[in-house]
Amino acid sequence: MLNKVILIGRLTQDPELRYTPGGVAVARFTLAVNRARLNKQGERETDFIDVVVWQKQAETCANYIRKGRLVAVEGRLQVRSYDDSQGIRRKAAEVVAETVRFLDRPKEGSGHGGAGSGGDIPEFGSEISFNEDDIPF
């Protein structure tokens, strides 16, 4: 069996970084991914896909990518169930990222990964990956 997803898109908002009670970093963001075909009106449609990133990769994403940045995500599709505030059972589909590749450079003066920000900034086109054993579930 195979469960593999590869996406290229732009972030719709800055990643949201949180920590589990055990101290494991988890970041969430949404990618806007254009469909290959045009609709009947000749317009390109866009899908908005939720992405979850764990551990060191989550912290790196939260520190160095922002809304509008182009990234490639490779991972697996996960469907989970939850009860909403009215007690109705819902399902959510999201991609659990195994690798995130930054595909463009940050704009000058963005404050995150831009010129003069210092630190170990991932290079353009760099890949951030982790071992599947690192996922805490």
Side-chain angles (χ1 to χ4, degrees):
M1 291 188 224
L2 178 67
N3 181 353
K4 186 153 190 107
V5 175
I6 300 171
L7 302 168
I8 296 176
R10 295 197 180 273
L11 274 72
T12 63
Q13 72 231 5
D14 293 351
E16 179 184 322
L17 178 66
R18 294 187 178 187
Y19 291 88
T20 66
V24 178
V26 59
R28 294 181 176 276
F29 56 86
T30 301
L31 277 185
V33 179
N34 289 337
R35 294 185 186 171
R37 296 190 180 152
L38 302 178
N39 65 16
K40 291 180 181 179
Q41 292 78 29
E43 300 166 339
R44 188 159 316 274
E45 293 182 341
T46 303
D47 291 308
F48 297 91
I49 301 168
D50 294 328
V51 178
V52 179
V53 188
W54 291 92
Q55 300 206 335
K56 177 69 173 157
Q57 181 175 226
E59 293 172 333
T60 301
C61 286
N63 287 329
Y64 296 111
I65 56 176
R66 294 287 175 254
K67 178 180 178 179
R69 291 286 305 274
L70 184 67
V71 299
V73 172
E74 185 175 340
R76 62 182 169 81
L77 182 64
Q78 173 178 282
V79 179
R80 60 184 173 83
S81 298
Y82 66 96
D83 293 327
D84 70 8
S85 59
Q86 283 91 26
I88 299 171
R89 194 75 166 156
R90 304 278 183 186
K91 286 188 176 183
E94 57 199 9
V95 172
V96 178
E98 294 169 4
T99 61
V100 176
R101 182 178 291 266
F102 303 162
L103 298 179
D104 63 358
R105 296 185 187 276
K107 295 177 182 156
E108 289 294 322
S110 68
H112 293 90
S117 64
D120 293 328
I121 300 169
E123 290 296 318
F124 166 73
S126 64
E127 184 175 296
I128 304 165
S129 61
F130 66 98
N131 186 326
E132 182 132 343
D133 295 333
D134 294 336
I135 299 176
F137 55 85

